[in-house]
Amino acid sequence: MRCQPLRDLVVDICSKFNQRCYFCAGLGDNPYPLCSGCEADLPWATTTCTRCALPLAFDGPLCSGCQNSPPPFEQTEAPWAYDFPLDAAIKRFKHRGDRPMGRLLGDRLGAWLLHRFNEGLPRPQRMLPVPLAAQRLRVRGFNQSQLLAERLSKSFGITVADHAVVRIRDTPSQQHLDLPARQRNLRGAFGLAPNASVRGLHLALVDDVMTTGATAHAIATLLRQAGARRVDVYCLARTPGPPRP
Ligand SMILES: [Zn+2]
Ligand SMILES: [Zn+2]
């Protein structure tokens, strides 16, 4: 009977390393359901603007938009470009309610952030998921940004202030709007909860995808006006996005 704990340990290790990869359905070689091959093939962000994560054609810290008009957030962390096959994985999570995929993506974002924290990126004191429009929340049944923030919170022990930012009004779909149109669309869309206290705090906004940055811009402006010391943005992916004026 003395070998039983060892047998359990072997079974545990085997089950961890023999998970099916969510991307290719092959037997995995990682302690999470994404095989090394598929993980290497993800559209990893390479040279990007440190402030808004926009892909850069040159090796400089900032894009021209952030140089000319610095956004109210300090840094954007996005491990991937919004491209195949990650775009399909995010859609599975977001639109088809594939929560195990959401947990996998959240945990890999956490691994990226751990690396960045070890490199010197300051850890935030609170994480704030971007709130979903009420109607979209009713249809979807969950807020993908909140689920991501909860995974990160589990990894880092950072509190999720999930009701600090509220949607005051629903906005029409922003899918086909450029940055100025999105900014107009979002005017007055967000507010701070009456009991939210952000003064002097370093905060991180959590979202699934940053497209033009208009949502992050609107919420970070609100938080900075309320006295937040610093706002960063954590998201899974960044789209190339239309050029800023
Ligand atoms: Zn795979
Ligand atoms: Zn930028």
Side-chain angles (χ1 to χ4, degrees), residues 99-157:
R99 294 189 194 210
M101 176 63 87
R103 288 194 284 272
L104 169 67
L105 296 175
D107 289 351
R108 300 330 298 149
L109 172 60
W112 168 277
L113 286 172
L114 179 63
H115 178 66
R116 301 287 292 120
F117 292 149
N118 288 340
E119 282 183 339
L121 180 74
R123 291 185 186 228
Q125 291 155 290
R126 304 269 189 286
M127 289 192 292
L128 285 69
V130 170
L132 205 59
Q135 197 187 349
R136 228 160 290 159
L137 185 60
R138 273 196 298 276
V139 172
R140 196 169 293 166
F142 70 102
N143 175 358
Q144 70 279 1
S145 303
Q146 174 143 9
L147 196 146
L148 292 173
E150 283 166 3
R151 293 306 287 186
L152 297 177
S153 170
K154 205 174 159 202
S155 298
F156 300 116

Side-chain angles (χ1 to χ4, degrees), residues 21 23-26 34-35 38:
C21 171
F23 283 68
C24 70
L34 174 63
C35 74
C38 289

Side-chain angles (χ1 to χ4, degrees), residues 156-221:
F156 300 116
I158 299 170
T159 305
V160 180
D162 51 356
H163 299 297
V165 179
V166 291
R167 279 257 181 186
I168 294 174
R169 63 175 177 83
D170 286 0
T171 47
S173 170
Q174 307 213 92
Q175 215 166 358
H176 303 292
L177 303 180
D178 61 10
L179 177 62
R182 283 184 183 224
Q183 285 177 332
R184 280 195 300 279
N185 194 31
L186 288 171
R187 208 163 284 155
F190 299 102
L192 275 186
N195 59 349
S197 174
V198 299
R199 185 163 296 282
L201 294 181
H202 174 188
L203 308 167
L205 267 181
V206 181
D207 206 354
D208 56 331
V209 178
M210 183 189 268
T211 307
T212 61
T215 300
H217 200 285
I219 298 176
T221 300

Side-chain angles (χ1 to χ4, degrees), residues 49 52 63 66:
C49 172
C52 75
C63 70
C66 289

